Amino acid sequence: MNPTLCLLFGATLISLASLAPRSAQATEHHFGFSYESSVLNPDTAEIEPWTTVRAGRADYYSATDARLAFAYGIAKNLQGALYWNFTSIAEDVLVPGATQKTRLNTSDLDSFSLDLKYKLSDPVADAFGSALYVAGTLGPLLASVEGRLIFDKQVGSLLLAANLLGTGVERLELRSNTEVALGALASAGYFVTPTFLPGLEVRSENGVSKHLDRSVLYAGASVSVLTEGWWATLALEPQITAFKGASSGHHFDLTKNERLQGRLLFGFHI
Amino acid sequence: MTKFSLLALVLIPVLGCAAALPHATDADAARVNQSFPGASVPRLEQGRTLYVERCAGCHQLREPASEAPLAWPRLVAEMRDEHGVHLTRDEEQGIVAYLVSVSSR
């Protein structure tokens, strides 16, 4: 699906859903990229389709990452999820020997992932909410592992979240060294009504090999709605600046990062 | 990255200093003793524990002060009747007593 259409579709659904009655569930993602400490109750489950669009590099580049997750409450405070990752990329590349760039389209079911989240404390009952998160991904071309420290707090109608994360990715086809990425995310949202939460999110993504190779900052807005049987969140985040690794003539990194990233998430209770 | 590490270092203690779900006090127990005979700090604290254990698994907890005290019995009954929450009469009374007592402060 065209990324713009996908986001418009999501915005329309979210607008309609904001009119629906609320029944909050514990696993809503109120922000596009930051995770929160809540987990599913034991023996409850959710289907979560996610779509992430990434567009705008030095040459034409448009990518859609789709993820279909099945999340399940394994035990008290412990949730697991299994998900399928699909990627579709359209980009201009210079084929060896050619004089002009060619637009290359690729679509793949690129990997399966498994994640676990363990809730350590609650964002309302305790001084702050916290959780540990770990995810492993394996596909024909890549293997990766991600870990996160999750913190959140709800004070009245104000919701805050912060994540610290580390990722290691091995590109199997390249037999390359592991790519390591470190990141930090901070988000704040306000429950305008119990069903509707607009928010702001800032995130820093950093690529490290022996040294810090690239460091970019994304920031943007999100909206989240909750309904009786499902929730939805839409986030749009342009790249604000590249502290390191900026492309020549820009203050953005347009080689490994994009001008704009957006994410549309749904969760359906089953 | 350094800037964000600093932000995280600032944010985490700020979150840590934020208010948690209130604990019951003698004053809370005295205030609701007429409506909930036998209310005591240990019993209200038991209600707090039940509120966290039974409610936080399905939805984000609401701060007691977010509703008027008289609204809580109806809201808890709604969760039981409309959302299939299994609570014994004692558990429900305990949760309600805690919520009513601390939201009346």
Side-chain angles (χ1 to χ4, degrees):
Chain A
M1 183 187 278
N2 180 308
T4 310
L5 280 178
C6 182
L7 292 175
L8 280 175
F9 172 69
T12 308
L13 270 180
I14 282 175
S15 306
L16 291 172
S18 66
L19 304 171
R22 179 192 196 202
S23 174
Q25 296 291 324
T27 52
E28 303 124 5
H29 287 254
H30 294 101
F31 306 107
F33 294 83
S34 299
Y35 293 3
E36 294 157 71
S37 62
S38 55
V39 293
L40 284 166
N41 245 358
D43 296 329
T44 57
E46 207 170 72
I47 295 283
E48 296 179 3
W50 293 21
T51 305
T52 305
V53 294
R54 301 177 283 115
R57 288 193 176 180
D59 294 314
Y60 179 85
Y61 184 90
S62 174
T64 303
D65 304 317
R67 161 183 288 192
L68 183 63
F70 173 76
Y72 184 73
I74 298 168
K76 186 183 172 189
N77 294 330
L78 181 65
Q79 172 187 311
L82 175 67
Y83 40 93
W84 292 259
N85 305 303
F86 305 84
T87 300
S88 175
I89 299 174
E91 62 183 326
D92 284 354
V93 294
L94 189 60
V95 178
T99 53
Q100 282 192 321
K101 287 181 176 165
T102 306
R103 186 151 302 172
L104 188 66
N105 292 288
T106 52
S107 291
D108 289 308
L109 165 59
D110 67 12
S111 56
F112 293 91
S113 303
L114 184 68
D115 73 19
L116 289 171
K117 182 162 70 167
Y118 186 74
K119 178 179 170 180
L120 299 167
S121 59
D122 186 272
V124 175
D126 300 305
F128 61 89
S130 60
L132 298 175
Y133 172 90
V134 63
T137 296
L138 187 63
L141 302 179
L142 67 88
S144 74
V145 63
E146 176 186 328
R148 283 190 191 227
L149 288 173
I150 300 169
F151 304 97
D152 56 359
K153 180 66 192 171
Q154 187 174 346
V155 186
S157 297
L158 180 66
L159 180 65
L160 303 168
N163 295 179
L164 296 173
L165 68 96
T167 309
V169 180
E170 184 85 36
R171 304 267 169 204
L172 301 175
E173 86 281 21
L174 299 176
R175 299 180 186 279
S176 60
N177 292 328
T178 302
E179 298 168 16
V180 175
L182 302 172
L185 303 89
S187 307
Y190 190 83
F191 283 101
V192 176
T193 71
T195 63
F196 179 64
L197 181 129
L200 296 172
E201 189 164 52
V202 181
R203 61 196 167 92
S204 166
E205 293 190 357
N206 308 279
V208 181
S209 53
K210 286 180 183 169
H211 306 286
L212 182 65
D213 296 327
R214 58 189 170 84
S215 175
V216 295
L217 186 71
Y218 287 92
S222 63
V223 286
S224 172
V225 295
L226 321 169
T227 74
E228 186 68 31
W230 55 279
W231 54 265
T233 296
L234 175 67
L236 282 176
E237 300 185 5
Q239 187 182 147
I240 302 301
T241 192
F243 298 116
K244 188 141 193 184
S247 307
S248 60
H250 296 278
H251 59 277
F252 302 118
D253 170 10
L254 300 179
T255 307
K256 293 211 166 184
N257 280 279
E258 298 79 30
R259 288 291 292 270
L260 179 70
Q261 295 189 352
R263 182 172 281 176
L264 175 63
L265 307 93
F266 289 98
F268 300 95
H269 314 306
I270 54 175
Chain B
M1 181 59 192
T2 309
K3 290 176 184 174
F4 267 82
S5 303
L6 286 173
L7 179 66
L9 286 174
V10 170
L11 194 59
I12 290 164
V14 168
L15 294 178
C17 294
L21 197 64
H23 285 275
T25 63
D26 287 330
D28 295 324
R31 201 164 41 244
V32 294
N33 212 288
Q34 273 198 325
S35 317
F36 300 94
S40 61
V41 171
R43 289 198 66 176
L44 293 180
E45 280 293 288
Q46 208 171 22
R48 181 186 184 277
T49 304
L50 280 169
Y51 178 52
V52 174
E53 286 182 352
R54 301 301 304 277
C55 305
C58 295
H59 59 81
Q60 285 196 317
L61 290 178
R62 295 170 67 177
E63 291 180 57
S66 67
E67 293 289 342
L70 290 177
W72 280 114
R74 176 180 53 81
L75 290 169
V76 175
E78 273 178 15
M79 294 305 292
R80 182 198 61 211
D81 296 338
E82 295 175 21
H83 297 276
V85 178
H86 298 293
L87 291 171
T88 65
R89 185 171 171 73
D90 273 358
E91 287 173 337
E92 183 175 339
Q93 282 291 96
I95 292 171
V96 169
Y98 165 73
L99 292 168
V100 169
S101 68
V102 296
S103 63
S104 327
R105 287 177 181 176

